[in-house]
Amino acid sequence: MFLRMGKRVGITLFSIAAVIVITFALTRILPGDTAEYFAGPAATKEAIQEVRVKLGLDKPKYQQFIRYVQDLSRGDFGQSLTTGQPVIRDLTARLPASAELTLAGLIVSILIAIPLGVLAAVKEGSFIDHISRVVATAGVSLPVFFTGLLLSYFFYFKLGWAPSPLGRLDIIYSAPPQVTGFYLIDSLIAGDLEVFWAALKQLILPAATLAIFSLAPITRMTRASMLAVLSSDFVRTARASGLSTRKVILTYAFRNALLPVITTLGMVFSFLLGANVLVEKVFAWPGIGSYAVEALIASDFAPVQGFVLVMAVMYVLLNLMIDLLYGVIDPRVRMAA
Amino acid sequence: MKRRDFLKSAGALAASTALTAPAVFSPAKAQSRAETLLIVSEGGPNNIDIHGVGTNVPGYEVAWNCYSRLISQEMKKLPNGVEYYDKDKFKPELAEDMKLADMSATFKLRKDAKFHDGTPITAKDVKWSLDRAVTVGGFPTFQMRAGSLEKPEQFVVVDDHTVRVDFLRKDKLTIPDLAVVVPVVMHSELVKKHATEKDPWGLDYTKQNIAGGGPYNVAKWTPGTEVIFERNENYKLGPLPKTKRIVWRIVPSAGNRRALLERGDADISYELPNKDFVELKQSGKLSIVSTPFSNGIQYLGMNVTKPPFDNIKVRQAVAYAVPYQKIVDAVLYGLAGKVYGAPANKQTEVAWPQAHKYNTDIAKAKKLMEEAGYKDGFETTLSFDLNFAGVNEPSCVLIQESLAQIGIKTTINKVPGANWRTELNKKVMPLYVNVFSGWLDYPEYFFRWCYHGSNSIFNTMSYQSKEMDKFIDGARDAAAIGDKATYDKDVKGMVDLAFADIPRIPLFQPYSNVAMQKNVSGYQYWFHRRLDYRTLAKG
C-alpha cells in the first residue's frame, strides 16, 4: 500500500516537473512580443527595449527559465502584467470563485444525473430511459457559452427571474469577510442571509449551465454500469432470495456500479474546469479560467504558467483522491494493493 | 436547560431568522443603488498609474478621474447637443492662473487644493510629478516629448504656490500637452515613502494606489472584475462631482452588456458592436451618443518600399477600387464619418480629417492597373488586428472582393492582438487595415506621426518624402510663431500631397459610441474618448 502510494507520488512529481518545462516552452513559442504589447501604442524602438530589459526578456531563454524555477521554489509565480498583481495573489483570489461554481455545477449535475441514470437502467427501454437519453444528448451537444447565453436571455432578459449576469454579487452588496472564499459558506459564517441569498441567486444560472453540460457523461455512465451490474449473478441471487427491489438496487447493485461512475466524475470535474472558461466569460464570473484567457490574449506569460501549474496540481490531487475513494468503495482495490 | 426551554428558544431563533430572511431589499441598500452609477465595459485597467509600464487604455480612465492637472480644456456644445472638448480653450484646474511669456509659462496654484489624504498640493509636488513624467520612459515620456517637454530642468519651483515651465523651443503643442492625461500631479511625499532604490519613482506603489487629489478616488479595485470609485467630498478644483459612487464592472460578453442596458440594470456602456448601437438607437429606450473620433482615421495602408505598392499608379488604382460606402453601410451601420468622394472642384481645407477625392470606380482602377504594368494583377496579403475583428474582418472581406475585380488577389491574414504591434513595427506587411487617432487635435501632429520621414511607428507605410517633411516642419514652425498664412499653406500642402501620393487610403472616421439610460445626464466627449465622471448624474 505505502509502496504503491510512494510510487504514485513519484510519478506525480515527475508530471508536475514536466508541466513546468512544457508551459514555459509553450508560452515562449507563442507569437507576440510582450514588451511591444506593454510599451503601448505610441512606443518607439527604445521604449520597447526599455520595457524588455525591465521585464528581463532580453536575457537568453535558459536564464529566464532558471530564474523562473528559482522564483517558483520560493512560491513566487511572477507578476501579471494585465492585472498588475502578483500571479499568486490573483490565483488565490480567483480560485474560490471557480471552485464554488464548478462544485455547485457538479453537485446539481450529480443530483439529477445519478437518479436519472439509475432509473433509466432499472426501467430500460421505458419512457424515462428515452427522456434521459434526450436530455443527456441535448445537454452535451450544446456548447456551454451558447447554453449560458440562452439561459441568461430567457431567465434574465425575457422573464427577469434571474439577477443581472454581473459576476458573484450584485453591485449593492459587498463580499462577506473571507474565510473559505466561497461566498455561500462565508456569508453563512458571517450570519448575513441577505448576502447568502444574493450570492445564491447569482450562482444559479452559471451552475445550471455547467450542470446541463455535464449531465450526459454521468447519466450515461451510471446507466451503463447499472445495466451491467443488474444482469450479474449476485443481483439475480439477491432477487431470488426475496430481497425487496429497493434493497437490491440501492444496496447491492448501486454500490457495485459506483466505481466507473466515480472515475467519470473525476473526468467530468476536469472537463468542467475547462468549460468554466467560457461560462465565466458569459456571466462575468471572476474565476481563474477567464483570468488565464485574458492573460493569453495579452501574451502575459506568468499568469498562463501559473494557471496551468495550478490546474496540473489540482488534476493530480483529484486523481489521487479518486484512487483513495476506490479503496473505500470497493474493498477489492484495497486488497489488491 | 430543560428540554422544553430549549425547544422554545430554538423556535424563537427559527422565527427570528424567518423574519430577517425575506428582507432582501433593505432600504439603505436601495438608497445606495440610487446614488451609484453602474458602468459596464469589455475590459478593465491593468494599472491605475498613467506613468506605469504598459498601462492600458482603461487605465487612462482611472488616471483621468482620480488625478488633477495644472490646466484642462473647456467644453463646447456640438450642433447635436453633445458636450465636446474645445481644443483651443483652456481653463485652470490646479492652477488658478497661467501667464504665458515668450519662452516660459508661469502657473499660480490654488491655495485650497488638497490631496485625498488632506495634504495641501504644493509646487514641489507639481515639479516632482512632471519630472517623473519626462523621466520614467515609455509612453508618458513619449507623450510629453510630443509637446517639447523633455527635461526635468524645464520645471522650476518659484515658490510654494508658483511653478514655471521653461520652453525648450517654441512649440504650439506645449500648452495643450499639459492638459492631456499624462501630466498628473501626484502626492510626492506619499509616493517617495514607497520608493526603493530599484524603483525610485514608486511605480510599484502607484500601480495599485491612487496618490492624487482628483475628483474621485478608487475605493476598491479587483483587477479584471471591477473598480469602485468614491467621490472626493473635499474636491475644490471645480464643482463637486454629481454622483457619489461609481461602480465599473467588467462584463466581457457584448450580448450581456446589451441585456443589462435594456433591462435598466446598467447605466452606461460603451464598446458595444455597431449593430447593437444602431438597434438600441432605433428602439428609443436608451440615449445613444455617437461622436466622431477627433483626429482619427481608419485607413488601408500600403508598404511603399516594395513592389507593387511602390508604384503610385497601383496605389491610386487601389484607392479607386475600395468600396467606401459599402464599408460604412454594411460594417459600421452608418455610424462613421465619410472621408471619401469629395467633389472634384472642392478646395482643400485647413483641417484634418477631411474627405479625399477618390471614389469607388472600378473602370478607372482597371485602367490605372494597366498603366502601371499590372494588367494581369498580382497576389498579396491583407492583414488586420484581431483585437478589433468586429470592424476589421468584414471591412477586409469587402476590400478583398473589390480588389479581386481589378486583378489583385488577396489572402486575408488575421494577426492576434498581442502580435499586431510587433508586425506593425517590422514594417513589412504589404497591405493592412489600421486605425490612428491623436490626443492633440492638430493636422501637423497627425502628419508628424503618420507621414513624416522620421519614420515613427505610425508611419506604417515607411513613406519618405522630402517635400512632405518640409510641409510638416514648416507648419510646426509657423504655428509656433503664429504665422497663419504659412501655416495654412503648409497644412493644405501636406493634405494635398498625402492624397496625391496616397500611401495610405483613409476609409472612414470611426465613431465613439456610448449608450446610457435616459435618466443619465452629463456625458462629455474628451480627446481620450473615455468617460469623465465629474459631470455624470442620474435621475
Side-chain angles (χ1 to χ4, degrees):
Chain A
M1 176 94 190
F2 283 109
L3 191 69
R4 206 178 72 118
M5 290 296 289
K7 254 188 196 164
R8 271 214 52 123
V9 171
I11 293 172
T12 306
L13 288 180
F14 176 76
S15 30
I16 290 180
V19 165
I20 294 177
V21 176
I22 291 171
T23 44
F24 181 85
L26 273 184
T27 44
R28 292 310 193 273
I29 291 166
L30 286 177
D33 184 333
T34 317
E36 288 195 26
Y37 195 79
F38 284 95
T44 53
K45 289 229 158 67
E46 299 83 68
I48 293 167
Q49 189 55 32
E50 268 172 48
V51 174
R52 184 165 293 138
V53 171
K54 255 186 207 164
L55 299 177
L57 291 171
D58 55 329
K59 303 224 167 59
K61 292 275 186 296
Y62 73 92
Q63 277 189 21
Q64 290 183 33
F65 182 69
I66 292 173
R67 222 180 91 181
Y68 174 62
V69 175
Q70 280 172 346
D71 287 345
L72 266 189
S73 62
R74 284 198 308 269
D76 179 359
F77 282 51
Q79 287 271 336
S80 160
L81 301 171
T82 27
T83 63
Q85 313 294 316
V87 170
I88 188 80
R89 191 192 299 169
D90 276 343
L91 286 176
T92 44
R94 284 163 165 268
L95 193 59
S98 288
E100 187 173 31
L101 175 58
T102 310
L103 282 177
L106 194 65
I107 289 169
V108 172
S109 182
I110 290 172
L111 288 181
I112 300 172
I114 291 190
L116 203 61
V118 171
L119 272 177
V122 173
K123 304 198 182 239
E124 196 194 353
S126 71
F127 178 65
I128 191 108
D129 192 12
H130 292 307
I131 289 276
S132 100
R133 189 173 294 126
V134 170
V135 167
T137 317
V140 80
S141 48
L142 291 172
V144 271
F145 69 90
F146 180 72
T147 341
L149 281 176
L150 207 67
L151 287 180
S152 114
Y153 178 73
F154 279 111
F155 292 102
Y156 165 63
F157 186 64
K158 280 287 169 196
L159 299 170
W161 293 353
S164 40
L166 274 177
R168 301 179 78 184
L169 272 182
D170 190 87
I171 59 158
I172 55 173
Y173 298 103
S174 43
Q178 177 147 359
V179 184
T180 58
F182 285 40
Y183 282 5
L184 291 183
I185 298 175
D186 287 357
S187 59
L188 286 183
I189 292 175
D192 192 342
L193 288 178
E194 209 174 319
V195 169
F196 174 80
W197 180 232
L200 183 64
K201 281 200 295 188
Q202 296 291 130
L203 191 61
I204 292 173
L205 284 193
T209 310
L210 283 181
I212 290 173
F213 178 67
S214 56
L215 274 181
I218 306 178
T219 322
R220 301 310 290 165
M221 189 47 87
T222 314
R223 181 179 175 273
S225 117
M226 270 305 271
L227 277 179
V229 172
L230 282 176
S231 61
S232 64
D233 292 346
F234 72 92
V235 170
R236 199 176 50 205
T237 314
R239 279 199 176 127
S241 311
L243 287 178
S244 69
T245 319
R246 197 188 151 82
K247 180 112 183 151
V248 170
I249 291 173
L250 291 185
T251 314
Y252 292 95
F254 182 60
R255 185 156 179 198
N256 279 288
L258 213 53
L259 216 51
V261 176
I262 295 284
T263 319
T264 318
L265 280 185
M267 263 167 52
V268 168
F269 188 76
S270 12
F271 263 16
L272 285 189
L273 280 174
N276 244 347
V277 174
L278 295 169
V279 178
E280 283 172 9
K281 277 270 167 210
V282 170
F283 291 98
W285 202 263
I288 49 172
S290 52
Y291 175 68
V293 171
E294 272 152 34
L296 198 58
I297 290 170
S299 296
D300 190 359
F301 301 142
V304 179
Q305 288 164 347
F307 170 77
V308 176
L309 202 62
V310 166
M311 281 305 199
V313 170
M314 274 173 57
Y315 282 170
V316 166
L317 290 182
L318 199 73
N319 278 322
L320 206 66
M321 243 168 62
I322 286 170
D323 276 8
L324 295 179
L325 258 182
Y326 281 173
V328 175
I329 293 168
D330 190 344
R332 281 171 300 180
V333 177
R334 262 184 314 220
M335 297 304 171
Chain B
M1 191 192 272
K2 281 186 194 141
R3 189 168 168 269
R4 176 172 298 203
D5 290 348
F6 172 74
L7 282 178
K8 237 194 236 162
S9 59
L13 191 74
S16 67
T17 354
L19 275 180
T20 48
V24 172
F25 294 106
S26 49
K29 276 172 177 151
Q31 173 72 17
S32 86
R33 182 71 183 88
E35 287 173 351
T36 303
L37 198 74
L38 175 59
I39 301 168
V40 291
S41 78
E42 179 155 13
N46 62 345
N47 187 326
I48 53 178
D49 178 7
I50 184 81
H51 297 165
V53 179
T55 305
N56 61 7
V57 176
Y60 300 176
E61 184 166 318
V62 182
W64 180 255
N65 286 293
C66 296
Y67 287 99
S68 347
R69 287 145 205 87
L70 286 170
I71 50 171
S72 188
Q73 274 144 335
E74 295 271 14
M75 280 285 142
K76 62 181 179 192
K77 243 192 176 68
L78 291 186
N80 64 358
V82 175
E83 295 267 330
Y84 194 94
Y85 76 98
D86 189 336
K87 67 168 176 160
D88 300 317
K89 284 202 191 117
F90 295 93
K91 65 175 179 197
E93 192 166 287
L94 191 57
E96 58 184 7
D97 176 55
M98 169 173 85
K99 279 210 176 60
L100 268 179
D102 190 39
M103 284 306 279
S104 71
T106 309
F107 299 90
K108 277 246 178 281
L109 305 186
R110 293 180 64 110
K111 297 213 167 61
D112 54 355
K114 290 194 171 71
F115 289 114
H116 292 140
D117 67 357
T119 316
I121 305 178
T122 60
K124 69 175 190 330
D125 295 309
V126 177
K127 171 166 172 57
W128 187 83
S129 307
L130 294 174
D131 286 358
R132 191 182 197 242
V134 299
T135 322
V136 286
F139 167 70
T141 302
F142 190 78
Q143 176 65 38
M144 296 296 277
R145 232 178 264 162
S148 298
L149 297 164
E150 297 168 16
K151 297 181 183 137
E153 295 87 75
Q154 286 180 266
F155 313 113
V156 183
V157 175
V158 178
D159 62 50
D160 258 8
H161 292 279
T162 315
V163 181
R164 197 181 69 233
V165 175
D166 291 335
F167 301 155
L168 277 186
R169 62 185 81 88
K170 283 199 168 158
D171 188 334
K172 195 175 74 170
L173 301 184
T174 301
I175 297 301
D177 207 27
L178 284 171
V180 299
V181 188
V182 172
V184 295
V185 175
M186 292 188 164
H187 192 329
S188 60
E189 291 308 315
L190 178 64
V191 182
K192 272 190 220 159
K193 246 189 264 165
H194 297 273
T196 58
E197 206 172 301
K198 266 176 87 184
D199 176 25
W201 294 105
L203 288 168
D204 274 339
Y205 176 74
T206 49
K207 187 177 185 178
Q208 6 215 355
N209 297 281
I210 296 291
Y216 281 89
N217 196 1
V218 171
K220 188 174 167 225
W221 171 34
T222 319
T225 309
E226 67 176 355
V227 192
I228 300 175
F229 299 90
E230 298 281 0
R231 175 171 66 191
N232 172 5
E233 300 294 339
N234 296 315
Y235 187 63
K236 293 283 186 307
L237 311 182
L240 189 68
K242 296 221 170 78
T243 308
K244 214 167 159 204
R245 194 158 167 264
I246 307 257
V247 176
W248 176 7
R249 278 270 173 119
I250 315 307
V251 180
S253 149
N256 274 346
R257 287 201 298 278
R258 181 174 167 177
L260 285 163
L261 277 174
E262 285 203 63
R263 285 205 51 94
D265 286 332
D267 297 310
I268 302 185
S269 177
Y270 41 108
E271 298 169 339
L272 280 174
N274 276 308
K275 181 168 181 283
D276 284 332
F277 270 106
V278 171
E279 286 172 10
L280 288 175
K281 201 176 215 169
Q282 281 162 357
S283 80
K285 275 193 287 186
L286 300 161
S287 47
I288 308 286
V289 182
S290 303
T291 318
F293 277 23
S294 60
N295 212 9
I297 276 185
Q298 174 104 6
Y299 65 94
L300 178 65
M302 290 164 282
N303 188 329
V304 300
T305 57
K306 281 193 225 87
F309 296 114
D310 59 340
N311 187 329
I312 181 170
K313 292 231 152 117
V314 173
R315 300 200 296 264
Q316 287 172 341
V318 173
Y320 278 115
V322 172
Y324 303 98
Q325 191 60 40
K326 255 194 210 161
I327 293 175
V328 171
D329 291 343
V331 179
L332 301 151
Y333 296 84
L335 290 179
K338 184 174 151 177
V339 291
Y340 73 95
N345 57 359
K346 185 186 156 255
Q347 294 290 310
T348 308
E349 296 164 45
V350 186
W352 189 257
Q354 61 178 296
H356 55 73
K357 290 174 181 168
Y358 297 91
N359 231 324
T360 317
D361 187 341
I362 298 293
K364 208 165 187 177
K366 273 187 181 153
K367 200 165 148 255
L368 280 162
M369 284 290 279
E370 225 177 290
E371 284 169 26
Y374 287 100
K375 195 170 180 299
D376 301 321
F378 53 84
E379 283 183 28
T380 187
T381 52
L382 173 57
S383 314
F384 71 83
D385 179 356
L386 269 178
N387 263 6
F388 304 97
V391 167
N392 284 342
E393 188 157 16
S395 306
C396 284
V397 171
L398 287 174
I399 292 170
Q400 183 185 38
E401 238 173 62
S402 264
L403 290 183
Q405 293 178 36
I406 61 168
I408 305 178
K409 281 193 203 67
T410 48
T411 318
I412 290 185
N413 173 29
K414 304 174 188 183
V415 182
N419 208 12
W420 180 245
R421 235 153 254 153
T422 320
E423 290 299 312
L424 273 189
N425 243 349
K426 284 189 206 150
K427 303 199 177 189
V428 291
M429 291 188 288
L431 188 67
Y432 48 88
V433 163
N434 193 31
V435 66
F436 176 84
S437 106
W439 273 358
L440 302 180
D441 189 5
Y442 299 90
E444 70 275 20
Y445 180 81
F446 187 101
F447 275 73
R448 176 161 299 278
W449 289 127
C450 300
Y451 290 94
H452 196 273
S454 56
N455 213 5
S456 89
I457 166 174
F458 297 119
N459 182 351
T460 47
M461 316 77 71
S462 304
Y463 177 68
Q464 295 288 335
S465 156
K466 289 251 153 53
E467 215 183 332
M468 180 61 96
D469 294 357
K470 224 184 269 165
F471 283 132
I472 298 171
D473 294 340
R476 181 191 64 188
D477 296 342
I481 55 167
D483 178 357
K484 191 163 179 327
T486 315
Y487 179 76
D488 288 2
K489 181 181 72 59
D490 281 341
V491 170
K492 282 182 189 168
M494 62 178 121
V495 173
D496 284 341
L497 186 58
F499 288 164
D501 267 359
I502 202 83
R504 52 158 71 184
I505 304 164
L507 297 174
F508 57 86
Q509 185 176 14
Y511 276 13
S512 159
N513 298 316
V514 179
M516 51 204 148
Q517 300 297 336
K518 290 262 192 213
N519 65 352
V520 175
S521 60
Y523 170 73
Q524 297 180 330
Y525 177 90
W526 283 90
F527 59 86
H528 48 72
R529 302 200 301 275
R530 307 297 299 191
L531 295 173
D532 186 320
Y533 303 154
R534 280 175 287 192
T535 46
L536 290 176
K538 207 165 127 180

